[in-house]
Amino acid sequence: AGAEGGSLVTQPVVLDGAKLTVNARVGGEMRVRLLDVSGKPIPGFDAADCQPIRGDGVALPVTWKESLGGLKGKPIRLEFVMKDAELYGFDLTK
């Protein structure tokens, strides 16, 4: 995503991890929203609830006000909201 910003939404995935990391180069800012399968934001996991991600790394941590553990086993979509950023991959781990 360039300076004007952009986003990417994944297909539904079943959440089986408690931590999310991203492999990215973020010159501006990246945030991650968690959505239900219909595309509605999950309370506590909206972009405003996500700590801004900045930097360049293969395992930059993604954190929200809430813990991912409460969503374990549920199908979700991830929306990556970015400005001046390159997303190479993400990993959900225990």
Side-chain angles (χ1 to χ4, degrees), residues 11 15 19 27 35 39 41 43 45-47 51-52 55 57 60 65 67 75-77 79 86 89 91 93:
Q11 293 292 321
L15 188 66
K19 295 180 184 178
L35 312 171
F45 295 95
D46 209 336
Q51 192 71 19
L60 299 171
K65 293 179 181 178
S67 168
I76 62 162
R77 293 177 188 263
E79 180 180 10
E86 296 175 43
D91 192 23
T93 60

Side-chain angles (χ1 to χ4, degrees), residues 14-71:
V14 175
L15 188 66
D16 65 354
K19 295 180 184 178
L20 173 65
T21 60
V22 293
N23 178 352
R25 186 218 45 88
V26 185
E29 181 177 289
M30 178 186 294
R31 292 176 187 249
V32 182
R33 302 172 75 193
L34 299 186
L35 312 171
D36 64 19
V37 289
S38 67
K40 295 178 185 171
I42 298 171
F45 295 95
D46 209 336
D49 301 316
C50 182
Q51 192 71 19
I53 303 159
R54 295 183 178 96
D56 186 352
V58 297
L60 299 171
V62 181
T63 57
W64 297 268
K65 293 179 181 178
E66 303 291 329
S67 168
L68 277 180
L71 299 176

